[in-house]
Amino acid sequence: MNERGQVFTLDMFFALALTALIVSYSGLALEQARRQAESYALRYSLERTANDAADVLVKTAGDPQNWSQNFETLETLGLAENDSAGNPIPNSLSVGKFENLRQLCASANWDANPDAAQAVRALFGDSENFEIRLIDENTGENLWPPIYPRWDVKATSGVENSLEVVIVKRLISTQVEVENKIENIRHIKQPELLQMYFTVGTNELNTRDWYIVVKRYLAPLSQPVVWITVNRDMDTGNPDWKFPPDDPPFKMWWHGNPQDPPSNDLQEGQNYIWVRVAGRGKSKGNPVDVSIVSMPFCSSSRFVELPPVATLEVRVWR
């Protein structure tokens, strides 16, 4: 009886040990499954937040639509441009609202407008872990400094130290229209004189601004001189602009008014400019690009060289 009891006890020991081992591994498996499910839920929540935020930014103008004129009124953030009837144009970025959002996120404004700051945070899951970028669709380069809370006192947004990051992108138009462009204008033997036409549509003098953008490629001392006149013949002794010393971009029409210069106002219908490129010493063969650009009413002139199509990138993290 004693021998049989010992065998039974040993069998029970191994059975219990095996049962404990199975239970232990089952617990570990359940814990791992729980963590995976929790991680998946957090990831899904983060992806949902990023996608929803990106859609709201590019498809709505915000509430109210003129929130950018007074941060205190902001209830829901949106960056879309409005059409003539006041309806948001999906995926059409208001460059003015984009810049105003950046100013709102500056440290002083962020602290001085707590309700507006909370409205922005609400779009990103009640979090300040967000970053908005405007990037070149072709090169992936930043077209504008990134937007994130307190960007003026923080070197980075903190995304580089995060455990998990979600990045979503939306293709947008910037409402910057290149009305005409001539590239590689050169002074070879005689100063090159070119006429560029552009059309101002009905009521566009009240809804859009008009600029001339001049781009030279080499160091200042080896660059050619550019003369420009608007809606009048070229008179090299009295151009509307001479570059240098005048600094582009040149405002032909801004904020619903002609600028001085030019001396000849724009008009609805066909307009034109004359461009004359002359060399200085070794600069005679150096190229110049000249563009006629229009943007939404009262936009900042800093946006004139944005491409007409870009990518809005939204980053959120935990």
Side-chain angles (χ1 to χ4, degrees), residues 3-313:
E3 293 178 358
R4 286 198 298 271
Q6 289 175 357
V7 171
F8 176 78
T9 303
L10 188 60
D11 289 344
M12 284 296 294
F13 173 77
F14 283 122
L16 290 173
L18 182 60
T19 301
L21 188 62
I22 292 173
V23 170
S24 176
Y25 275 107
S26 297
L28 290 174
L30 287 172
E31 177 64 16
Q32 185 176 10
R34 185 192 67 79
R35 290 181 179 178
Q36 287 179 342
E38 184 179 74
S39 177
Y40 174 80
L42 289 172
R43 176 72 185 187
Y44 176 80
S45 176
L46 208 59
E47 290 177 350
R48 183 66 180 268
T49 297
N51 278 286
D52 288 350
D55 286 339
V56 170
L57 289 175
V58 303
K59 293 181 179 180
T60 73
D63 183 23
Q65 293 186 350
N66 64 345
W67 64 264
S68 59
Q69 299 175 17
N70 184 357
F71 293 148
E72 293 181 357
T73 66
L74 177 62
E75 295 183 11
T76 304
L77 186 63
L79 301 178
E81 188 71 52
N82 291 333
D83 62 19
S84 57
N87 299 314
I89 307 172
N91 295 83
S92 179
L93 180 71
S94 167
V95 291
K97 287 182 178 178
F98 183 80
E99 174 60 15
N100 284 331
L101 173 60
R102 185 168 185 269
Q103 294 308 316
L104 171 59
C105 289
S107 181
N109 289 331
W110 192 253
D111 294 333
N113 297 276
D115 291 340
Q118 178 53 37
V120 176
R121 283 192 292 266
L123 189 62
F124 299 96
D126 289 323
S127 171
E128 293 191 3
N129 293 341
F130 70 87
E131 182 176 303
I132 304 171
R133 293 173 176 261
L134 188 63
I135 61 177
D136 190 304
E137 173 65 14
N138 297 316
T139 66
E141 296 177 349
N142 286 333
L143 295 169
W144 208 249
I147 296 174
Y148 53 86
R150 300 180 178 88
W151 53 265
D152 56 332
V153 296
K154 294 170 59 179
T156 69
S157 63
V159 63
E160 69 281 356
N161 298 320
S162 60
L163 296 173
E164 193 167 23
V165 184
V166 173
I167 301 174
V168 298
K169 299 179 181 181
R170 296 292 185 269
L171 196 65
I172 51 94
S173 67
T174 60
Q175 290 294 294
V176 177
E177 300 289 341
V178 179
E179 308 292 342
N180 199 344
K181 183 176 184 177
I182 299 180
E183 298 178 318
N184 294 318
I185 307 173
R186 299 170 183 267
H187 172 186
I188 306 301
K189 293 183 179 180
Q190 295 295 327
E192 186 158 9
L193 185 62
L194 297 171
Q195 192 172 33
M196 299 174 64
Y197 289 94
F198 61 101
T199 300
V200 176
T202 302
N203 201 42
E204 285 191 335
L205 292 178
N206 297 318
T207 59
R208 299 191 70 78
D209 299 332
W210 301 81
Y211 293 86
I212 301 171
V213 180
V214 178
K215 184 176 182 181
R216 299 184 299 181
Y217 294 93
L218 303 177
L221 294 178
S222 61
Q223 293 179 344
V225 178
V226 182
W227 286 268
I228 296 175
T229 59
V230 179
N231 283 343
R232 68 184 180 92
D233 292 338
M234 173 64 69
D235 178 0
T236 57
N238 186 31
D240 291 326
W241 290 286
K242 182 180 179 181
F243 174 50
D246 298 332
D247 292 324
F250 304 128
K251 295 179 180 178
M252 291 187 287
W253 189 274
W254 185 79
H255 203 63
N257 293 286
Q259 303 297 294
D260 291 319
S263 57
N264 293 60
D265 298 348
L266 299 189
Q267 57 191 6
E268 290 187 2
Q270 191 176 76
N271 297 260
Y272 65 89
I273 67 172
W274 279 106
V275 179
R276 182 179 186 267
V277 178
R280 295 187 302 175
K282 296 181 179 180
S283 69
K284 291 184 178 180
N286 293 337
V288 175
D289 296 347
V290 177
S291 305
I292 298 170
V293 173
S294 71
M295 294 196 301
F297 186 71
C298 296
S299 298
S300 170
S301 61
R302 290 176 294 171
F303 286 102
V304 295
E305 295 191 68
L306 288 178
V309 177
T311 297
L312 189 77
E313 182 180 277

